[in-house]
Amino acid sequence: MAAKGDMVYAWSTNEDMLAKGECGGAVTALLKYALESKMVDGVLTVKKGVDLYDAQPVFITDPADIAKAAGSLHCGTLLLPKLIKKYFNGAKDMKIAITLKGCDAMAMYELAKRNQINLDNVLMIGLNCGGSVEPGMAREMIEKKYGVNPDDVHKEEIDKGQFIIEYEGGEKGIAMDELEEEGYGRRLNCQRCKLKIPRQTDLACGNWGVIGPKAGKATFVEVCSDKGAELLNKAEKAQAIATEPPIPKGLEIRGKIEKSMFRLADKARAHQFGALGDGEARLKFILDETSRCIKCYQCIENCPICYCEECSTKKSHLVAHGQVPPPFMFHLIRYSHIADSCINCGQCQELCAMDIPNSLFMHALQVEMEKMFGFTPGINMDLPVLALVEEKTERARLSSTGTDQIFNIFK
Ligand code: FAD
Ligand code: SF4
Ligand code: SF4
Ligand code: SF4
Ligand code: SF4
């Protein structure tokens, strides 16, 4: 019997899922079992749309449909949690299982601590994540760097540091490092991301650390909660999955890969944040870039931290109506409301109509604020620092001390 903290290799006992799954189909089998056994009412996950560059969110209630979503879509840059808030009443009146990359997992917690999602009703299946590739750029990269028509590609994967494609007549892999040096490869926010194994979910699943006869045919599952242990144990008892202990060397390799991904992310942060400049130079850069804004609201619409019914950016006394580009206050409001909790999911940049590097600006701020206040978003239910400021107490302190450094009270 597995318990919280245990790690196993797991795979589906069903031949079809074994074949269709990315690494043995354990995740698909677990989701199917969760639906069949009525642990959940539905599964929110991602399926291939018209082609592999078209990842679509899908809500499945019939267990027979789960296998259609098997496999990993590395051009699937969606963020699922806000859909639970928007379309499923925050899982307040139904039980939902969901697949979550690291950024999805962080978004779940930031929404949950703001009472926008009821985590008690969510079964979180985490997916380790080395990164995802923006779909439009993937097509361009495959055409220009691989010399292959992107429409001929029927499978892509990221393995051993390479982006590999299978297409009519062959297979080709190019090192991510090489691709990223030339401006291709993983999204910029993914290059900066340090949430590689989402341990704040119920089960963290991935291929890192699966070696020996099971390599490529099983998923490494880290049991992160009692709820995760219950699902794994029940699914195994019902013979939906089979498990075996991990090979110790595999464990060691998994740890080393995770550490090396952290080092890469630190390097990317230093490089990308460094390019923004400091102080006034950074402000000027942000002012220049945001001057392209057409106020399409996609950044707000897709940010998991933006959920307010009456957004301040729409109030004319704060942001004058009818101006494009909007006054800089539009962006300042977002920086001040979001920066401490930004989870670096990249949505506000990827979906920006004017390609403004919003996520880069916000993440750069978040990292600075984390250094100042020690608050890390997305990893647990802790509230951000500013949420802890009680106005009356703070006003009294200000008038008695005369200082406007409200943040000092937390030191
Ligand atoms: P399957 O049975 O194939 O089920 C996979 C489930 O994931 C399906 O339900 C599918 O709908 C869902 N899914 C597919 N794409 C997405 C997506 N983009 N977002 C959310 N859900 C999705 N593991 C590592 O160890 N190292 C990595 O670097 C790594 N990078 C990954 C990057 C991405 C973008 C994704 C999606 C996964 C990554 N994984 C990584 C996890 C790994 O690829 C497998 O998903 C995992 O091992 C489970 O395999 P399986 O056969 O049990 O899953
Ligand atoms: Fe994966 Fe992190 Fe990129 Fe999200 S931000 S897709 S978790 S690498
Ligand atoms: Fe994601 Fe951008 Fe919101 Fe940060 S500000 S959480 S990167 S959408
Ligand atoms: Fe709420 Fe501020 Fe985001 Fe508007 S910008 S939705 S007010 S957090
Ligand atoms: Fe402006 Fe881009 Fe946000 Fe649209 S998504 S409002 S263009 S910053």
Side-chain angles (χ1 to χ4, degrees):
M1 291 279 277
K4 185 178 168 186
D6 285 351
M7 301 182 198
V8 292
Y9 289 170
W11 59 95
S12 169
T13 51
N14 173 293
E15 288 300 320
D16 185 39
M17 283 184 215
L18 259 176
K20 281 192 185 148
E22 187 73 13
C23 310
V27 168
T28 304
L30 288 165
L31 293 172
K32 184 163 185 270
Y33 176 79
L35 259 185
E36 279 169 348
S37 62
K38 309 232 181 303
M39 276 176 92
V40 295
D41 304 306
V43 170
L44 181 60
T45 188
V46 175
K47 73 169 174 63
K48 191 167 105 176
V50 290
D51 56 30
L52 50 83
Y53 314 99
D54 179 33
Q56 296 180 354
V58 59
F59 189 69
I60 299 171
T61 50
D62 182 350
D65 290 339
I66 284 283
K68 290 180 194 159
S72 295
L73 291 166
H74 296 96
C75 300
T77 56
L78 306 160
L79 198 78
L80 295 180
K82 206 165 176 186
L83 302 183
I84 295 192
K85 184 221 154 5
K86 272 190 185 173
Y87 302 110
F88 301 100
N89 193 27
K92 285 176 185 151
D93 35 41
M94 71 189 303
K95 289 190 185 289
I96 296 176
I98 181 171
T99 54
L100 302 162
K101 306 180 299 317
C103 48
D104 290 298
M106 289 193 274
M108 287 299 291
Y109 277 83
E110 287 310 306
L111 282 160
K113 69 181 67 164
R114 291 166 172 80
N115 293 322
Q116 302 303 305
I117 287 182
N118 178 6
L119 277 193
D120 292 342
N121 279 344
V122 184
L123 190 55
M124 297 189 280
I125 310 293
L127 302 174
N128 297 356
C129 185
S132 57
V133 182
E134 194 274 314
M137 195 262 266
R139 293 186 73 95
E140 185 190 319
M141 172 175 87
I142 288 167
E143 199 174 334
K144 295 201 175 139
K145 283 289 295 176
Y146 292 71
V148 172
N149 180 343
D151 291 327
D152 292 341
V153 177
H154 51 79
K155 181 158 172 52
E156 50 71 30
E157 61 176 325
I158 300 179
D159 193 26
K160 298 191 180 72
Q162 289 199 327
F163 186 79
I164 302 164
I165 54 168
E166 284 176 27
Y167 53 99
E168 293 292 315
E171 184 183 305
K172 201 169 184 178
I174 301 182
M176 242 346 157
D177 289 354
E178 182 186 332
L179 293 169
E180 286 172 8
E181 263 169 37
E182 294 179 36
Y184 295 117
R186 295 170 302 158
R187 295 183 293 162
L188 290 173
N189 64 302
C190 292
Q191 294 176 30
R192 301 191 303 268
C193 173
K194 289 172 94 170
L195 208 288
K196 299 295 152 192
I197 301 180
R199 295 186 176 91
Q200 66 276 63
T201 59
D202 296 307
L203 295 171
C205 307
N207 56 342
W208 288 331
V210 183
I211 58 168
K214 286 286 174 212
K217 299 182 194 125
T219 289
F220 192 114
V221 181
E222 185 167 339
V223 183
C224 304
S225 73
D226 294 339
K227 212 197 274 185
E230 185 191 350
L231 172 64
L232 194 79
N233 290 328
K234 284 187 172 168
E236 186 164 21
K237 197 166 169 218
Q239 295 181 345
I241 56 159
T243 69
E244 66 182 31
I247 297 172
K249 184 80 188 160
L251 262 175
E252 195 187 308
I253 291 172
R254 183 173 182 260
K256 280 189 181 157
I257 298 176
E258 193 181 14
K259 277 199 188 119
S260 77
M261 296 301 290
F262 290 163
R263 281 196 296 273
L264 276 176
D266 281 333
K267 213 169 129 191
R269 287 178 185 205
H271 176 70
Q272 293 181 32
F273 296 158
L276 288 176
D278 285 321
E280 274 186 41
R282 180 174 291 198
L283 180 61
K284 184 173 180 317
F285 187 80
I286 296 175
L287 279 162
D288 284 350
E289 288 287 317
T290 52
S291 68
R292 294 199 303 276
C293 176
I294 57 166
K295 214 180 176 193
C296 69
Y297 284 105
Q298 282 307 300
C299 47
I300 292 172
E301 190 59 30
N302 293 290
C303 175
I305 325 287
C306 278
Y307 58 85
C308 308
E309 283 177 21
E310 286 183 29
C311 178
S312 302
T313 64
K314 292 185 178 167
K315 293 176 179 159
S316 59
H317 60 279
L318 293 172
V319 180
H321 285 172
Q323 283 182 26
V324 169
F328 189 54
M329 181 56 85
F330 176 87
H331 303 282
L332 276 180
I333 289 174
R334 255 180 56 80
Y335 300 148
S336 62
H337 291 187
I338 306 300
D340 63 350
S341 300
C342 170
I343 53 153
N344 182 38
C345 66
Q347 299 296 311
C348 57
Q349 181 158 336
E350 182 171 339
L351 298 166
C352 173
M354 299 307 288
D355 286 336
I356 297 169
N358 290 309
S359 168
L360 176 64
F361 301 153
M362 199 71 89
H363 189 209
L365 279 169
Q366 184 276 321
V367 167
E368 291 303 318
M369 292 182 85
E370 185 169 338
K371 279 187 216 149
M372 288 162 79
F373 307 124
F375 171 73
T376 312
I379 52 164
N380 55 31
M381 290 295 276
D382 287 357
L383 289 173
V385 175
L386 294 183
L388 299 172
V389 174
E390 216 190 298
E391 206 184 348
K392 269 192 190 158
T393 322
E394 182 50 18
R395 291 233 169 273
R397 195 194 62 81
L398 285 180
S399 64
S400 64
T401 61
T403 169
D404 61 356
Q405 294 295 307
I406 63 165
F407 299 129
N408 282 347
I409 60 170
F410 299 105
K411 283 193 172 159

